[in-house]
Amino acid sequence: MSWKGRWVAAPERSPPPPPPPRDTYRVTPPPSPPPSPPPSPKSPPAAAASSSSASSSVPGGGLFSWLRGRRLGRGGCFVEPARDTFRAMTGLYGAIQPVDSVSPITRTHGAVFNLEYSPGGSVLTVACEQTEVLLFDPISSKHIKTLSDAHEDCVNNIRFLDNRLFATCSDDTTIALWDLRKLDAKVCTLHGHTSWVKNIEYDTNTRLLVTSGFDGNVIIWETDRCTEDGCPHKKFFHTRFLMRMRLTPDCSKMLISTSSGYLLILHDLDLTKSLEVVSYPILRARRTTSSSDLATSTSSGPRSAGSPCQQSDLSPLSEKHMVRASQREGGSPRNSLEVLTPEVPGERDRGNCITSLQLHPKGWATLLRCSSNTDDQEWTCVYEFQEGTPVRPVSPRCSLRLTHCIEEANVGRGYIKELCFSPDGRMISSPHGYGIRLLGFDTQCSELVDCLPKEAAPLQEIRSLYSHKDVVLTTKFSPTHCQIASGCLSGLVSLYQPKF
């Protein structure tokens, strides 16, 4: 389009100046560029000035490039959006206070053993000592319903499968499935354990329910084929002195803790295969390491006299299979077993019992609550997963390293205290006497990967909250709100929220 044509096409308030002579336009170009057209009615001068100032204040000429440069630290300013969120959440948790207690009118449910939020954070469920399950609205602190006869004995654990379906397990050896939309009756009852059922996990990939109990069995349940009479199940694994069982967030590993102080890890997990006692290969069997203890012996020292775990449940099996492991040349097979004795400060010679087991929400580490066999010490410990292959494929390598620890109050001896990670994994809520402690890897509540110490370092106390009149047994972070719940031996459930 010619220069003249552009002038004719533009809507003008006043007629344009006359064009140059035709012959001049044909022979040579004009000596200077044509004048800019006057501002149109749709583009007032103010808008043009605003656009000009915005363009001059945004490096690179665009908002998105400016934001990207800001995130990458260009121009002397580095702000990562995730870090801003971390700082905001740290400030909120720093201002957290006890705000309310939730309990039905008649408190006959006994001690609170477990707390679990629904994935959407709209329902808080409470597992109680006296056969009951309580449901509350954590936002309004209102009691929703009491499942009076949920089981025939203590309710130990609750696990949501999705936003409406959840499972409970009990000392009556059964597991029950419930639907939030119809709480008048169970969906079904699952029978298969022969002793107290203590733990429930759920593999979202295969839709398999995984339970463990004091009978030493880990059982797999096919929830897709449930009927009123139950659902198909099979025994997946067995070990003596089993305490707790957990799956990593990606369901690639299963961790099992024992009352004899051992931690078992099944690598490259395949829940579709049942494992006989001697069918799985043991790849490694040794004590976990720290930078100051790299040459520790394979097993822990002798148990103290009178301990309920005077004989190791895994040592003979470990010796039997270590020969096979030393001859292995290839990569790790599916469901390969690693046997560890986690290092606990002050417990090198007396042995310990791993009473609580949790996993970092991003799968970076495991969190243990350990008590000595004589119940005179209690520790909270964080162990980092060390991925990769050993220098020599045939050499044993410990896949956990102690990074942080702190000694606990050791109040309420004999009771299991369930601790937990925050949803982002930067904080730990731990029962501490008649309250809870919020712990961080450093005082700024940084990510674990940002503050890994060369040697085991103490967990930092961010805040202590005391609102109970009895020993706190369990605590839980809300998955969606800045809220923490705790339950105690006398049956009270307390809620904590920021208060300014």
Side-chain angles (χ1 to χ4, degrees):
M1 183 183 291
S2 69
W3 178 54
K4 179 179 177 181
R6 287 202 300 271
W7 270 107
V8 174
E12 305 297 337
R13 189 182 296 272
S14 57
R22 267 193 179 287
D23 50 354
T24 305
Y25 195 57
R26 283 178 186 169
V27 177
T28 58
S32 60
S36 300
S40 63
K42 295 183 179 179
S43 300
S50 173
S51 174
S52 174
S53 63
S55 176
S56 62
S57 64
V58 178
L63 177 61
F64 291 106
S65 62
W66 175 75
L67 288 173
R68 183 172 180 273
R70 181 173 180 259
R71 180 172 61 84
L72 295 176
R74 296 170 182 167
C77 177
F78 179 84
V79 178
E80 186 178 348
R83 304 292 178 187
D84 281 346
T85 303
F86 290 166
R87 281 194 287 268
M89 292 304 293
T90 302
L92 288 175
Y93 281 116
I96 207 163
Q97 296 283 349
V99 293
D100 209 347
S101 59
V102 293
S103 181
I105 299 175
T106 58
R107 281 170 47 188
T108 59
H109 51 269
V112 174
F113 286 161
N114 185 241
L115 297 165
E116 185 72 14
Y117 284 87
S118 63
S122 59
V123 178
L124 173 63
T125 56
V126 183
C128 302
E129 179 184 16
Q130 300 295 334
T131 75
E132 297 180 351
V133 173
L134 310 178
L135 291 90
F136 295 94
D137 180 347
I139 307 303
S140 64
S141 304
K142 292 183 178 178
H143 175 232
I144 298 174
K145 191 174 181 63
T146 296
L147 306 179
S148 301
D149 298 315
H151 288 275
E152 297 178 0
D153 209 332
C154 303
V155 185
N156 296 316
N157 193 238
I158 302 175
R159 176 73 185 214
F160 274 87
L161 282 60
D162 52 38
N163 266 316
R164 62 176 181 82
L165 195 66
F166 66 96
T168 60
C169 64
S170 168
D171 282 357
D172 65 5
T173 75
T174 69
I175 301 99
L177 295 183
W178 305 85
D179 193 324
L180 285 176
R181 300 170 300 180
K182 189 180 178 182
L183 292 170
D184 295 333
K186 304 173 186 177
V187 174
C188 65
T189 301
L190 310 180
H191 298 271
H193 285 278
T194 58
S195 186
W196 301 347
V197 188
K198 293 294 184 180
N199 213 165
I200 306 174
E201 290 287 288
Y202 184 63
D203 184 349
T204 54
N205 300 321
T206 60
R207 298 182 64 84
L208 294 174
L209 195 70
V210 189
T211 61
S212 66
F214 280 1
D215 55 3
N217 292 328
V218 177
I219 297 181
I220 307 297
W221 310 82
E222 299 180 42
T223 56
D224 279 345
R225 298 170 58 190
C226 276
T227 65
E228 293 182 356
D229 299 326
C231 63
H233 67 279
K234 63 181 179 181
K235 185 189 297 185
F236 176 73
F237 186 82
H238 176 84
T239 184
R240 290 189 294 168
F241 310 127
L242 188 152
M243 286 291 293
R244 289 290 185 268
M245 173 273 304
R246 299 287 180 193
L247 299 179
T248 54
D250 61 358
C251 297
S252 64
K253 299 182 184 69
M254 176 185 289
L255 278 75
I256 298 173
S257 66
T258 70
S259 60
S260 55
Y262 286 98
L263 185 66
L264 286 63
I265 306 178
L266 284 166
H267 294 269
D268 301 313
L269 188 65
D270 185 358
L271 294 175
T272 61
K273 296 180 179 179
S274 296
L275 301 178
E276 299 297 334
V277 175
V278 294
S279 67
Y280 47 83
I282 293 187
L283 302 184
R284 301 170 280 271
R286 61 175 296 173
R287 187 182 182 90
T288 59
T289 59
S290 67
S291 298
S292 59
D293 182 24
L294 293 175
T296 320
S297 61
T298 299
S299 61
S300 64
R303 305 291 175 185
S304 59
S307 165
C309 311
Q310 291 179 357
Q311 295 182 349
S312 168
D313 53 325
L314 293 167
S315 295
L317 193 61
S318 301
E319 294 171 1
K320 178 179 180 180
H321 285 269
M322 280 303 292
V323 177
R324 296 185 192 177
S326 64
Q327 297 172 351
R328 183 179 55 88
E329 296 292 341
S332 301
R334 301 299 298 270
N335 294 331
S336 56
L337 178 65
E338 180 177 12
V339 184
L340 303 172
T341 307
E343 178 192 4
V344 180
E347 297 300 323
R348 295 174 182 269
D349 299 322
R350 289 183 295 167
N352 63 83
C353 175
I354 305 173
T355 58
S356 182
L357 169 65
Q358 299 290 339
L359 286 163
H360 191 281
K362 297 178 183 178
W364 295 341
T366 182
L367 176 65
L368 303 183
R369 186 73 170 253
C370 305
S371 61
S372 62
N373 285 336
T374 54
D375 272 344
D376 59 345
Q377 280 187 319
E378 200 169 21
W379 291 82
T380 291
C381 302
V382 178
Y383 299 86
E384 172 206 11
F385 283 109
Q386 299 184 101
E387 299 297 342
T389 57
V391 178
R392 294 182 301 158
V394 297
S395 64
R397 180 187 61 83
C398 176
S399 65
L400 290 180
R401 180 178 75 93
L402 177 65
T403 61
H404 297 82
C405 59
I406 192 170
E407 189 169 4
E408 295 290 358
N410 197 29
V411 178
R413 296 181 182 181
Y415 285 96
I416 296 173
K417 287 95 174 180
E418 294 285 359
L419 62 175
C420 65
F421 277 108
S422 61
D424 58 12
R426 296 184 307 117
M427 276 189 285
I428 297 166
S429 181
S430 175
H432 189 256
Y434 289 6
I436 62 173
R437 284 196 300 185
L438 297 184
L439 306 171
F441 304 115
D442 61 13
T443 54
Q444 287 76 40
C445 295
S446 302
E447 290 271 23
L448 176 62
V449 293
D450 294 335
C451 57
L452 282 174
K454 293 182 179 179
E455 296 184 357
L459 287 166
Q460 300 297 315
E461 184 174 330
I462 307 301
R463 193 170 184 81
S464 294
L465 302 164
Y466 298 98
S467 62
H468 292 271
K469 296 181 180 180
D470 212 333
V471 179
V472 174
L473 302 180
T474 181
T475 179
K476 193 73 174 180
F477 281 90
S478 168
T480 55
H481 300 86
C482 186
Q483 185 183 74
I484 308 173
S486 63
C488 72
L489 192 57
S490 61
L492 181 72
V493 176
S494 290
L495 299 178
Y496 309 86
Q497 292 179 177
K499 196 172 184 180
F500 300 99

